[in-house]
Amino acid sequence: MAIVKKYLSEVVSILNPFEGLYTVTFKSRNKFRYLPGQFLHLALDEYDGAGQWPESRCFSMQSSPDEELIKITYAVKGRFTERMQRELHPGKEVWLKLPFGDLFQRDHSKENCVFIAGGTGITPFLSLFVHSSFAEFINPKLYLGFRAEHFNLYSEELNRSTNRSNKIKIFYENVDGMLDINTIYKENGSAIYYLSGPPLMLKNFKTELTKFGVQEKNIVTDDWE
């Protein structure tokens, strides 16, 4: 089991590719230690490093554990992320607590794995795709859905995939329609399905896969929110 640690971290950069969406990169004097698919807690309030942990929110880490910096992407939804939008800036110090979660550490085969992501749901998958351990997966498939092409910010990271057998299908809702779990199942059958995206998508896709007879243990969701 991973040891959770607290890191005093500095904001290195903030990208705002379109309204309401931000990608933030952090550094720390101590090396971040985590595994692909895990997430962190971010706190904005002052903290002495030892007392009661302040209010925080969870965010998937989209960077690889091999990298020095941690990267997250968030959408402005609610009071806490509105504070992030106002208060975060390069040079700002915040506290991160990590790692949490076991998305890719469960006892599953690395054969016949299907990754399905909606929008920014791709971020926890990216931490695996650019990590050396992804090369161990045999013929993985990725289905990725966005509202439109300009929302796809992840081509560079997808091109850095450590698994050259990775098959990627990208769907743009305004052109191709929404991701269709029925079609995806017909193309893959009984497989291990990793799901990440909006809560309603996760609920509906998991329900449909269960109806098709996919065992619950073979449906892995990134639904810590």
Side-chain angles (χ1 to χ4, degrees):
M1 184 175 180
I3 298 175
V4 175
K5 294 185 177 181
K6 301 163 187 171
Y7 299 84
L8 179 60
S9 305
E10 179 183 330
V11 176
V12 176
S13 65
I14 300 176
L15 299 178
N16 179 206
F18 45 82
E19 185 178 358
L21 190 82
Y22 293 85
T23 296
V24 188
T25 303
F26 302 93
K27 69 178 180 180
S28 176
R29 285 190 293 270
N30 299 318
K31 179 177 172 54
F32 295 117
R33 298 191 181 277
Y34 60 99
L35 297 171
Q38 294 189 302
F39 61 91
L40 57 77
H41 283 255
L42 183 151
L44 294 171
D45 296 328
E46 290 187 12
Y47 178 61
D48 62 7
Q52 182 176 352
W53 180 250
E55 179 186 15
S56 62
R57 288 294 182 276
C58 301
F59 298 95
S60 295
M61 294 176 278
Q62 72 185 71
S63 44
S64 163
D66 294 334
E67 299 173 27
E68 179 184 358
L69 307 179
I70 277 182
K71 183 188 294 185
I72 67 168
T73 294
Y74 75 93
V76 179
K77 296 178 181 179
R79 184 180 61 83
F80 193 88
T81 49
E82 288 172 356
R83 280 190 63 192
M84 291 173 65
Q85 183 183 39
R86 290 193 308 269
E87 299 177 19
L88 293 184
H89 58 81
K92 167 83 172 176
E93 287 191 333
V94 297
W95 282 89
L96 306 179
K97 184 164 65 169
L98 60 118
F100 297 91
D102 61 351
L103 185 63
F104 301 123
Q105 286 72 57
R106 305 174 201 181
D107 185 22
H108 289 117
S109 169
K110 293 182 179 179
E111 240 180 299
N112 199 23
C113 292
V114 179
F115 300 84
I116 307 172
T120 57
I122 185 65
T123 55
F125 293 169
L126 292 176
S127 68
L128 172 68
F129 294 166
V130 298
H131 188 253
S132 56
S133 63
F134 190 45
E136 301 169 6
F137 284 74
I138 300 172
N139 297 321
K141 296 179 182 179
L142 168 64
Y143 293 83
L144 179 56
F146 294 104
R147 282 181 285 165
E149 187 172 0
H150 68 275
F151 289 103
N152 181 2
L153 309 173
Y154 311 103
S155 296
E156 187 273 332
E157 286 154 304
L158 291 171
N159 288 336
R160 288 168 48 207
S161 171
T162 61
N163 193 320
R164 293 307 170 193
S165 67
N166 189 23
K167 296 179 177 62
I168 302 173
K169 291 188 177 181
I170 300 177
F171 297 81
Y172 298 114
E173 187 176 334
N174 63 332
V175 176
D176 310 301
M178 300 178 66
L179 287 171
D180 181 6
I181 190 60
N182 297 280
T183 299
I184 294 173
Y185 176 77
K186 288 177 182 177
E187 292 178 357
N188 297 281
S190 294
I192 297 169
Y193 290 88
Y194 290 93
L195 311 178
S196 182
L200 184 59
M201 181 197 110
L202 298 184
K203 179 181 178 181
N204 291 341
F205 281 22
K206 186 172 183 179
T207 297
E208 290 303 307
L209 288 171
T210 302
K211 288 181 181 178
F212 293 141
V214 179
Q215 296 182 47
E216 188 169 345
K217 68 177 183 178
N218 290 333
I219 306 172
V220 186
T221 57
D222 182 55
D223 57 358
W224 43 260
E225 292 184 308

